[in-house]
Amino acid sequence: MRGPVLLLGGTGEARELAGRLSEAGVEVVSSLAGRLADPLLPAGEVRVGGFGGVPGLTAWLQEHRPAAVVDATHPFAAGMTTNAAAACTGAGTPLLRLQRPGWTAEPGDDWAFVDDLAQAAALVRGTAFLTTGRQGVGAFAGLPGRVLVRCVDPPTEPLPAGATLVLARGPFTVAEELALMREHAVDVVVTKDSGGPMTAAKLVAARELGIPVVLVRRPPLPAGVAVVPTVEEALSWLR
């Protein structure tokens, strides 16, 4: 296809797609939210920071006229996904949502799905292992027990009184997750239904240890947006 392509990124799939497009000679501009202090950068041109909501993104699309927009942001980046759908409609730009499937429970899993972090906090009993990211940690500030919080950058919201903060970037192996959960005597894992193999080791470890998992459901996607689950299908759509 003829570029350029605006790629709303920040995920492993986005970096893979940017690399594949660049290798094929397609001009790609990757946009990152800028929430991480040291993000993993994709191939090609990179812009960091927001567009200024729907009006700002619409103006950018009208000025730069990309052939298409691929929204490959995190499954929980609902604001950006909603803004992209509205802006692309306003600018008449084709839009594709690249989103990996959510996780599927396997025999031995003890999962409970909730709609938000507040509901997740209400289900916590004992020592909790939070892997929900640094945003929204404040929902767990009132937990009375010990809490293990893992994220890439330090949270800006208040941590629970009994919190232990681990700053680390995955992926993590099952052995690493098992060791961490045993070390901190974890009773429940709290995470978001991000999907994909990159962060699934904690679910395998919880299964092996017989630990329940509380998963936050994904936000709904805007109506009418084309969605594909893999980079290969995104490339086919772009062609």
Side-chain angles (χ1 to χ4, degrees):
M1 64 161 293
R2 295 181 182 272
V5 172
L6 175 62
L7 178 53
L8 307 178
T11 60
E13 290 87 357
R15 290 190 294 276
E16 181 183 350
L17 180 58
R20 296 282 297 274
L21 289 173
S22 295
E23 290 171 0
V26 176
E27 180 185 353
V28 56
V29 179
S30 292
S31 176
L32 305 182
R35 294 194 178 96
L36 295 180
D38 185 25
L40 299 175
L41 298 180
E45 182 181 343
V46 178
R47 68 178 306 278
V48 178
F51 289 92
V54 174
L57 179 54
T58 303
W60 192 96
L61 295 174
Q62 291 172 337
E63 177 183 355
H64 296 274
R65 292 296 175 186
V69 174
V70 178
D71 174 13
T73 56
H74 192 275
F76 284 82
M80 187 68 250
T81 294
T82 299
N83 289 351
C88 286
T89 297
T93 306
L95 170 66
L96 178 70
R97 172 64 174 160
L98 169 56
Q99 179 168 282
R100 70 183 85 106
W103 288 310
T104 301
E106 298 184 11
D109 284 326
D110 180 6
W111 290 4
F113 280 91
V114 295
D115 291 326
D116 55 39
L117 294 175
Q119 291 182 10
L123 292 183
V124 168
R125 300 292 183 272
T127 300
F129 178 23
L130 304 185
T131 66
T132 54
R134 70 187 184 101
Q135 293 185 308
V137 171
F140 302 90
L143 292 181
R146 294 194 302 124
V147 181
L148 176 64
V149 180
R150 185 175 68 196
C151 45
V152 177
D153 290 328
T156 56
E157 300 178 18
L159 292 174
T164 298
L165 179 61
V166 175
L167 298 179
R169 190 198 300 270
F172 305 99
T173 66
V174 173
E176 289 171 333
E177 299 289 52
L178 285 169
L180 187 66
M181 292 183 196
R182 285 172 174 145
E183 177 187 353
H184 293 273
V186 170
D187 296 305
V188 58
V189 175
V190 183
T191 192
K192 294 177 178 178
D193 186 17
S194 301
M198 294 286 286
T199 56
K202 62 195 169 196
L203 303 177
V204 178
R207 183 188 312 134
E208 292 189 15
L209 295 174
I211 296 174
V213 179
V214 179
L215 293 107
V216 180
R217 292 186 181 92
R218 295 177 172 191
L221 293 172
V225 175
V227 182
V228 295
T230 67
V231 170
E232 287 296 338
E233 289 174 84
L235 288 168
S236 295
W237 183 88
L238 286 168
R239 293 188 190 103

